Amino acid sequence: MRSNVIETVLGAVVLVVAAFFLYFAYTTANVRAVSGYALQARFASTGGLTAGSDVRISGVKVGSVTKAYLDPKTYQAVIEMQIDSQVKLPEDTSAGIASESLLGGKFLNLQPGGEEEMLKPGGRIQYTQSAVNLEDLLGRFIFSAGGNNANKGGDASQQGQPAPQGQQPAGQQPAGQQPKADPSKGLLNGGGK
C-alpha cells in the first residue's frame, strides 16, 4: 500500500514538472498566435512557407502566416498574415521568404519602406521576393562547374590517348632539356635564363 502512494506522488511530480517545461517552452519560443490586422502578399513560389510560420521585421516576430493557398487565375501563391496592431507598415513595404537555416524552417521577412501612407487592414504588400530554392542553386552550380572542362578539344595527350612516337605533347619538353628562354620576356618573367 505504501509503494502505491509513493508512485502516485512521483507521478504527480513528473506531470507538474512536464507542465512547467511545456509552459516555459511555449512562452519563450514565441509560438502563440498574433492578434492584429490582416495583410496579403503574392509570390511565385512559397518554398515551404506554411500557415503558422513567423512574420518578422529585423529578426523580431511581428505576426504569423494564417493561410497559404493558390490563386487559380494567376497561379500565384497567396499568403495571408496577421500583423501585430502596434506595428504600422508603410505602403512600399517589401516581403521576402527567408530560411532560418540550411535545414529548413521558412519565415516571412518584411522590409518597411519610406512611404508616409500606411497599409490598411486587408491590404496587399505589392513588392515580394519568392523563396530561393537551394536544390536548384546546387544543381546549377554542379552542372555549370562540370560543363567547363567537358568536350574541349586539344591534342591527343589531353584526351587520354598517347602521343605519336617522336612527338612530345604540347607544353612538355623532352627529358634532360631545359625550356628555351623567350628574349621578349624580361628578367622578371623568366626570359633571362
Side-chain angles (χ1 to χ4, degrees):
M1 182 76 177
R2 182 175 173 159
S3 64
N4 287 342
V5 173
I6 293 173
E7 289 173 0
T8 304
V9 170
L10 285 177
V13 169
V14 168
L15 288 176
V16 168
V17 170
F20 172 74
F21 278 118
L22 203 65
Y23 173 76
F24 180 75
Y26 181 77
T27 55
T28 57
N30 207 9
V31 293
R32 57 191 176 278
V34 174
S35 60
Y37 61 98
L39 289 178
Q40 186 185 89
R42 293 173 178 259
F43 296 90
S45 170
T46 63
L49 189 74
T50 57
S53 298
D54 288 354
V55 178
R56 301 180 188 173
I57 297 175
S58 302
V60 177
K61 181 178 178 179
V62 295
S64 297
V65 174
T66 56
K67 194 174 182 184
Y69 62 92
L70 182 69
D71 183 347
K73 293 180 182 175
T74 62
Y75 299 106
Q76 287 185 318
V78 180
I79 301 293
E80 293 181 1
M81 66 197 93
Q82 287 284 108
I83 304 295
D84 188 353
S85 56
Q86 295 178 349
V87 178
K88 304 297 181 195
L89 295 171
E91 280 192 347
D92 60 344
T93 297
S94 64
I97 299 172
S99 293
E100 292 179 350
S101 66
L102 289 174
L103 299 176
K106 303 285 186 180
F107 67 94
L108 190 62
N109 188 36
L110 300 181
Q111 301 266 335
E115 289 266 337
E116 291 186 14
E117 287 285 323
M118 297 296 167
L119 284 167
K120 295 177 175 46
R124 179 176 162 192
I125 297 174
Q126 298 293 330
Y127 307 105
T128 60
Q129 181 178 0
S130 296
V132 176
N133 190 339
L134 189 60
E135 291 85 10
D136 286 348
L137 286 177
L138 285 173
R140 288 181 190 171
F141 175 75
I142 290 169
F143 289 121
S144 67
N148 288 342
N149 295 327
N151 298 326
K152 284 191 175 179
D155 59 16
S157 66
Q158 289 178 338
Q159 296 178 2
Q161 299 175 1
Q165 281 192 337
Q167 292 183 353
Q168 291 295 327
Q172 292 185 4
Q173 297 294 327
Q177 292 184 4
Q178 295 293 329
K180 294 184 180 178
D182 185 0
S184 65
K185 297 180 182 178
L187 287 174
L188 295 176
N189 292 328
K193 292 183 182 175

